[in-house]
Each structure stands twice: as C-alpha cells, then as structure tokens.
Amino acid sequence: LDIRRERYKTLAGNAERGAAWTLDDSLDELKRLCDTAGLDVRGRCCQAVQHPSAATFVGSGKLEEIRDSVEALRIETVVFDDELSPAQQRNL
C-alpha cells in the first residue's frame, strides 16, 4: 500500500468544558492519526464557537484564514476534528 504524503492543516472546533481531553490533546491526537495516514503536518488552528456554521462549520473570518494558509503553504488537504455535513464539505 503506497500512501502519498500530502501537506495538510488541522482544525479543531471548540473543546467542551469539563471534557477529559484538552484542545491541545485533541489536536495532538489528530496529528498522530494524520501522521499514521501519511500526511505531513503544516499547521493547526482552532475556533471557539457555540454553534458551528451550517454552511461551512467555521465562521467567515476563520474560513478566510484557512484559505490564506492553504494558498500560502500550498496545502492539499484540510482535516477537521469533527464530522462535517455533506453541505459543509461541498461548501469548503
């Protein structure tokens, strides 16, 4: 099995209060999972939100930040630490 290494950026949503894992723990675990899948870590960011956007999961400002990173770092894949709806996937 040949897995191509891709440049990627991870993004995690808001960590729930009282959760057993911190936001950094969650992003560290996601990085390890992506490393195992053959992806090359290029960055990570997060956004604290009460309710994710139905259209894009993240707000417009964070979406612009992600777009700028994707272009500047020539990122091929963005990994979210949450399940995205088909509409969110399409819009992103």
Side-chain angles (χ1 to χ4, degrees):
L1 177 64
D2 182 23
I3 300 175
R4 195 179 90 199
R5 294 188 67 78
E6 296 180 355
R7 294 179 290 273
Y8 81 98
K9 181 178 189 84
T10 60
L11 178 83
N14 188 25
E16 294 182 25
R17 294 183 190 271
W21 287 43
T22 67
L23 180 60
D24 282 333
D25 290 340
S26 181
L27 286 173
D28 290 345
E29 175 67 10
L30 184 59
K31 179 190 179 304
R32 287 189 294 274
L33 291 170
C34 290
D35 286 342
T36 299
L39 300 175
D40 181 25
V41 178
R42 294 297 175 133
R44 64 196 228 179
C45 63
C46 62
Q47 180 178 25
V49 293
Q50 289 277 339
H51 305 284
S53 164
T56 61
F57 189 77
V58 296
S60 60
K62 184 58 70 177
L63 186 58
E64 186 174 325
E65 179 184 324
I66 294 168
R67 186 197 70 223
D68 292 346
S69 293
V70 165
E71 291 174 358
L73 299 173
R74 298 174 50 188
I75 293 171
E76 298 167 355
T77 306
V78 177
V79 178
F80 285 77
D81 193 16
D82 209 335
E83 188 171 338
L84 300 178
S85 72
Q88 290 166 331
Q89 292 175 37
R90 185 176 48 254
N91 293 333
L92 292 169

